[in-house]
Amino acid sequence: MITIKLPIFLAVLSFTVGIASAQDIASLYKQVNSSVVTILTESRLFEDSHQMNIDEGIGSGVLISENGEILTAAHVVNDAEKVSVKFINGEEIPAKVIRSAPVADIALLKLSWMPKVYKVAKIGDSDTVSVGEQIIILGAPYGLEQSLSSGYISGKQKQKTRTSGFVINEYFQTDASINQGNSGGPMFNMQGEVIGISSYIISESGGFQGLGFAATSNLAKKLVVDGNRRWNGINGFILDKELAWMLNVPINGGLLVESVVRFSPAYFAGIKGGFETITIEDEHLILGGDIILSVNGFPLTQEAFENVNNEMVNKSDFYKKKEFVLKVLRGGKVEELTINFKI
């Protein structure tokens, strides 16, 4: 009979479990890393000097279909005039934004062609994920491509959007490191399924402090994978009643167009962005562009915005439309513009 003292046994057990966990993560990384991509962008940013400067950005994403669809974060690509996707073998392929849900920070890209070597990631059911489960996050923090961080699901947060709560955003909170460049990168469960898309951190220093958030996979599926929230190239700000009054808008609201991405649907529709940055009630706004008053007859007042978007969500044919008529306030006059979508 062999006698093992309890403290020694627990220490050996702990060491063994640690090795097993490390081996599991290493195997999981090899299983999924070729589906993870680096996203390179070029944007024209408006400066206070009234000049437009080229800004190069970097983010992360994950290949989710044989058709070349890439999930990423909306803030990585929404301003981009040029998007390219870099795969693990170094191959770079142009892509375009086809769908975007900025309120949930999720976007869907489409590759111009498929890479020579690739792996498609499987999207998991985020509703089955529990607090305490182990996860890994892959991406390109500070440009360090294919980097891995591991941790646990620390919490599950639900947030109402600013626009009258018409979408309930759902995020996983995690202690796995998320830094600049990680945005849009996938969160995998231990079965190798994508259960989240890295979005943002809460930090006082600007670096990671243990509070990272990823939009859940089910939210991504609902809004941009199975849904059809098409990207239009408009970066704007929803005006409340007070701001609308201050800007002499004829209704109690509207969407202030701050910038328009070149060669986007909004650009070809003739929608104009602003050119003068001001601060009103602690909000930094770019004025001088169009203010959209209605979409297909639905007013964009703060009170009506919930109904507008519920109509968009609940009517199955709304997002299938290829043409939308916008009433815009420009130079004190109301004009009509038509925005067309090819996809």
Side-chain angles (χ1 to χ4, degrees):
M1 179 176 171
I2 299 176
T3 303
I4 301 178
K5 292 185 178 180
L6 184 59
I8 297 176
F9 173 73
L10 291 176
V12 171
L13 178 61
S14 175
F15 178 71
T16 304
V17 171
I19 292 177
S21 177
Q23 289 175 338
D24 289 344
I25 290 177
S27 298
L28 179 58
Y29 177 79
K30 292 178 182 178
Q31 174 188 337
V32 302
N33 72 326
S34 57
S35 68
V36 181
V37 300
T38 301
I39 296 174
L40 307 172
T41 64
E42 287 186 10
S43 306
R44 290 175 181 260
L45 297 183
F46 177 83
E47 303 293 340
D48 288 339
S49 60
H50 292 196
Q51 298 295 317
M52 299 295 287
N53 294 327
I54 299 295
D55 180 69
E56 296 182 346
I58 187 170
S60 305
V62 59
L63 179 66
I64 61 164
S65 81
E66 296 282 349
N67 296 323
E69 294 175 327
I70 305 280
L71 266 179
T72 186
H75 76 265
V76 172
V77 296
N78 264 2
D79 294 338
E81 290 184 7
K82 181 180 178 181
V83 179
S84 61
V85 175
K86 185 177 180 181
F87 284 80
I88 191 171
N89 62 352
E91 185 177 5
E92 288 189 28
I93 298 175
K96 58 183 177 181
V97 188
I98 56 173
R99 297 175 195 152
S100 180
V103 292
D105 198 21
I106 305 168
L108 190 72
L109 310 180
K110 182 71 177 293
L111 296 173
S112 297
W113 61 81
M114 290 299 289
K116 296 176 181 177
V117 179
Y118 66 90
K119 181 167 185 177
V120 174
K122 181 181 179 181
I123 301 181
D125 182 359
S126 55
D127 287 345
T128 65
V129 178
S130 301
V131 174
E133 286 190 31
Q134 190 171 16
I135 53 90
I136 65 170
I137 289 177
L138 273 65
Y142 299 106
L144 301 172
E145 300 173 10
Q146 302 296 318
S147 293
L148 175 147
S149 63
S150 64
Y152 296 87
I153 299 293
S154 307
K156 202 170 186 179
Q157 312 292 336
K158 290 189 176 183
Q159 303 172 351
K160 286 188 176 182
T161 65
R162 180 182 182 275
T163 51
S164 304
F166 68 91
V167 169
I168 301 296
N169 289 341
E170 188 175 58
Y171 295 92
F172 285 129
Q173 179 186 332
T174 182
D175 62 346
S177 295
I178 297 175
N179 286 289
Q180 184 179 350
N182 270 122
S183 295
M187 170 188 283
F188 290 99
N189 62 17
M190 297 306 288
Q191 289 73 49
E193 299 171 329
V194 178
I195 57 169
I197 298 296
S198 301
S199 180
Y200 67 99
I201 63 173
I202 294 177
S203 172
E204 293 183 356
S205 65
F208 183 72
Q209 294 181 304
L211 288 171
F213 296 86
T216 65
S217 59
N218 284 1
L219 184 64
K221 285 191 289 186
K222 177 182 178 182
L223 296 182
V224 299
V225 179
D226 298 331
N228 196 14
R229 294 182 175 244
R230 285 170 291 195
W231 177 73
N232 54 37
I234 295 174
N235 295 294
F237 184 87
I238 297 168
L239 302 174
D240 59 21
K241 187 183 300 185
E242 288 74 20
L243 283 174
W245 180 83
M246 293 173 69
L247 295 174
N248 207 26
V249 179
I251 62 173
N252 291 328
L255 177 66
L256 173 68
V257 179
E258 296 185 286
S259 64
V260 174
V261 178
R262 285 203 310 169
F263 312 125
S264 65
Y267 173 86
F268 288 115
I271 299 171
K272 305 295 184 183
F275 51 83
E276 188 70 43
T277 303
I278 67 168
T279 301
I280 300 178
E281 296 181 349
D282 297 324
E283 295 284 359
H284 300 288
L285 305 177
I286 302 176
L287 301 185
D290 294 333
I291 296 176
I292 301 175
L293 305 177
S294 67
V295 178
N296 281 6
F298 293 101
L300 297 189
T301 61
Q302 192 174 33
E303 296 83 359
F305 210 86
E306 180 176 358
N307 294 329
V308 173
N309 285 277
N310 281 338
E311 182 75 13
M312 293 179 182
V313 172
N314 295 331
K315 284 186 66 174
S316 59
D317 64 335
F318 193 97
Y319 277 113
K320 293 180 181 179
K321 294 179 180 179
K322 295 184 178 181
E323 186 174 283
F324 294 85
V325 177
L326 312 180
K327 280 191 176 182
V328 303
L329 179 65
R330 176 184 293 177
K333 297 180 180 180
V334 176
E335 301 182 15
E336 280 195 359
L337 299 173
T338 301
I339 184 168
N340 289 285
F341 294 92
K342 294 181 181 180
I343 297 179

